[in-house]
Amino acid sequence: MSFRRPRGTRDFLPGEMELRRMLESRICGIFRSFGYREVGTPTFEHLELITAKSGEEIVERLYSFQDKSGRWLALRPEFTAPVMRMYVTSLQSEPKPLRLYYFGPCFRYERPQAGRYREFWQAGVELIGSGTPEAQAEVVALADTVLRELELEYELHVGSVGVLRKLLAEHGAGEEEQVRVMGMIDRGEVEEALQRLEALGGAELAELVEQLISLEGEAREVARRAERVLEGHSGATGELRSLGEIMEALEWYGVEARLNLGIARGLDYYTGMVFEAYVPSLGAEKQVCGGGSYSLAEVFGGKPVPTSGFAFGFDRLLIAAELEPPVERRVMVIPLSREMVPGAVRVASELRGRGVMCELEVMGRKLGKALAGANAKGVEYVVLVGEELRRGRVVLRDMRTGEQREVEVERLGELPELSQPSSP
Ligand code: HAM
């Protein structure tokens, strides 16, 4: 019997949990400031929901199982398919566009390493019902705003799977073939992808794609080079122009993004613009965000609807952001004798009722030991409950200076030194 955690999972101790909650509330606060509203979906879904369109990459890494009734289920590896299932069943008739966000754990059977886990958290958004350049740019700009507000050193790369898809389609590649080639490119298996393309459309197609996916850099410059590479391929050129409109809208938002036509993304549902954000200091697992425009509603029985979104790897952001722990005022109420315990319970309740966070000494210790215990925990103020309580008073002790003064219980809740410092 092993009592260790399963591989790729983590425990979060109180200090870590405080940092996680702090980051979560900063990110979700920014999502809300753009008008997005939170949704929740089950931790597990029917296996087919995930296998329908997410792609081999993800399906190979699923945690799937049969329940006691023989149904095949899977722990969610991401939120986009579940959110679009929810949209189709419950939100299709809502006014458009819908702006939804989510935060929660996802599960993928991966080889664990720094920044890559089997249970990890995503914070993301989906904008449903508009495919305008400004809608797609908004999603990218929202991701950019979060990264900027966290003061990270990051790079934002925008590309399009639409360009490559159109090019492949022009050479007779169906949906399945397109997805296969893009999957190879996403995994870095470029040689294999080019060989496949050569078999499909000859050396010319392979060369074209090779040139295209190596284009990365300053947006306008890359767009000019790509136009030249794609000359004569009207479908792909059209996609490139649409991407150009999104890049222009990004300028209105003040977003500095690079154009990278090599981004293929590991999920099959993307149709047009795609983007990724990297924090180079994270090393191998530097991708902190991925997203793009996609088409999924019709896969789940809904009407087709233009959609775009992204998800942050929350755990990677947390490593990159190097946050300072939140400052919390720690207050402890200590009864000076056994007889004073009921009074101490009342004082503690009164304080909590007035918004002061405080804990009660419940170890039955003598005063000296109780104070040493409070000190060891980093308690800053102690409320000593003794005989004075008969007069409605207690003794307030500043643990840093050792100063003590009598205070009316009634007034304790108003003391600024006991209230929580406002969060940054
Ligand atoms: P994804 O790129 O598969 O996209 O995942 C988004 C982010 O989750 C990645 O950029 C990465 O930071 C993080 N991530 C992925 N796997 C792990 C892992 N094993 N450990 C830690 N972090 C990980 C999606 O999931 C799409 N649903 C994004 C999207 C939303 N596209 C449109 N809407």
Side-chain angles (χ1 to χ4, degrees):
M1 173 71 92
S2 160
F3 291 107
R4 291 215 305 263
R5 291 185 309 263
R7 229 166 106 71
T9 65
R10 289 154 298 157
D11 294 318
F12 303 113
L13 304 180
E16 291 169 90
M17 227 32 236
E18 280 157 14
L19 286 181
R20 293 177 72 86
R21 288 289 185 219
M22 190 166 86
L23 182 61
E24 176 193 345
S25 89
R26 279 176 72 176
I27 296 172
C28 295
I30 298 170
F31 290 170
R32 281 194 294 273
S33 77
F34 275 65
Y36 288 73
R37 297 173 70 200
E38 188 170 14
V39 289
T41 67
T43 313
F44 55 89
E45 295 273 358
H46 287 293
L47 179 61
E48 306 94 77
L49 178 91
I50 315 291
T51 53
K53 192 78 185 223
S54 297
E56 235 175 283
E57 258 305 279
I58 292 262
V59 170
E60 269 175 18
R61 295 182 179 164
L62 278 183
Y63 274 94
S64 55
F65 55 97
Q66 247 178 324
D67 72 5
K68 292 191 200 306
S69 307
R71 294 181 199 95
W72 275 101
L73 302 169
L75 298 183
R76 66 173 173 227
E78 55 124 28
F79 280 89
T80 306
V83 166
M84 290 313 289
R85 172 196 50 67
M86 179 179 70
Y87 162 76
V88 168
T89 50
S90 315
L91 294 169
Q92 273 199 102
S93 53
E94 291 289 307
K96 306 281 181 312
L98 275 155
R99 291 185 167 90
L100 308 176
Y101 81 85
Y102 46 79
F103 174 78
C106 298
F107 306 85
R108 295 183 192 177
Y109 193 80
E110 314 236 33
R111 215 148 46 108
Q113 52 180 282
R116 192 199 290 176
Y117 314 98
R118 290 184 174 172
E119 182 189 29
F120 63 99
W121 270 251
Q122 280 193 347
V125 309
E126 311 297 343
L127 194 165
I128 307 170
S130 175
T132 60
E134 60 270 31
Q136 298 182 65
E138 170 183 303
V139 165
V140 182
L142 175 48
D144 184 74
T145 304
V146 170
L147 295 167
R148 206 162 354 116
E149 298 242 335
L150 293 176
E151 294 174 10
L152 298 179
E153 296 275 339
Y154 65 96
E155 276 178 28
L156 189 62
H157 289 210
V158 180
S160 164
V161 294
V163 175
L164 199 56
R165 272 180 182 267
K166 279 273 158 56
L167 201 57
L168 297 183
E170 279 175 22
H171 287 81
E175 166 82 18
E176 211 169 297
E177 187 61 27
Q178 294 171 20
V179 157
R180 185 162 309 135
V181 170
M182 288 190 309
M184 288 174 168
I185 296 172
D186 182 61
R187 290 190 295 276
E189 299 160 6
V190 177
E191 274 311 308
E192 291 87 329
L194 294 178
Q195 275 166 19
R196 238 193 134 80
L197 288 169
E198 200 164 331
L200 184 83
E204 188 231 0
L205 175 64
E207 212 173 289
L208 206 61
V209 172
E210 190 177 15
Q211 283 183 45
L212 194 71
I213 62 176
S214 67
L215 291 178
E216 188 270 303
E218 194 275 318
R220 286 170 197 273
E221 169 62 20
V222 169
R224 267 194 298 275
R225 274 160 43 205
E227 286 244 12
R228 254 176 273 138
V229 171
L230 292 171
E231 221 173 290
H233 299 276
S234 59
T237 303
E239 286 289 329
L240 188 66
R241 301 231 162 102
S242 307
L243 183 61
E245 291 175 31
I246 298 170
M247 297 307 285
E248 194 188 339
L250 279 176
E251 287 176 14
W252 310 331
Y253 280 100
V255 173
E256 280 173 33
R258 294 171 81 77
L259 195 54
N260 180 347
L261 293 172
I263 302 179
R265 305 284 297 136
L267 291 146
D268 291 356
Y269 46 64
Y270 296 106
T271 48
M273 182 275 293
V274 286
F275 71 103
E276 292 181 346
Y278 316 110
V279 172
S281 65
L282 290 178
E285 301 305 319
K286 65 179 181 176
Q287 192 192 308
V288 294
C289 180
S293 301
Y294 60 92
S295 191
L296 263 182
E298 68 278 16
V299 177
F300 305 137
K303 286 201 217 76
V305 61
T307 324
S308 37
F310 67 79
F312 281 118
F314 177 80
D315 310 273
R316 294 181 187 175
L317 277 188
L318 190 75
I319 301 172
E322 295 179 359
L323 301 174
E324 289 294 320
V327 189
E328 276 193 348
R329 177 81 64 242
R330 299 179 70 88
V331 178
M332 187 182 271
V333 178
I334 302 180
L336 289 180
S337 64
R338 257 317 316 131
E339 291 69 48
M340 295 316 297
V341 172
V345 169
R346 277 201 308 280
V347 170
S349 301
E350 165 126 5
L351 277 174
R352 290 171 193 141
R354 293 180 178 239
V356 175
M357 269 171 42
C358 65
E359 54 186 306
L360 185 67
E361 154 67 21
V362 290
M363 300 282 283
R365 293 183 282 211
K366 292 241 161 46
L367 179 62
K369 290 231 164 98
L371 285 178
N375 207 22
K377 284 178 136 220
V379 168
E380 293 162 272
Y381 289 93
V382 156
V383 177
L384 301 169
V385 182
E387 292 304 322
E388 309 79 8
L389 192 61
R390 284 185 224 287
R391 291 184 280 117
R393 299 169 84 85
V394 288
V395 172
L396 182 66
R397 180 186 172 95
D398 182 332
M399 293 296 283
R400 275 166 303 189
T401 61
E403 267 171 44
Q404 298 196 166
R405 65 187 156 108
E406 254 189 49
V407 184
E408 276 176 46
V409 176
E410 292 269 289
R411 292 206 39 237
L412 262 185
E414 297 158 14
L415 296 179
E417 56 263 51
L418 297 195
S419 64
Q420 285 301 320
S422 52
S423 41

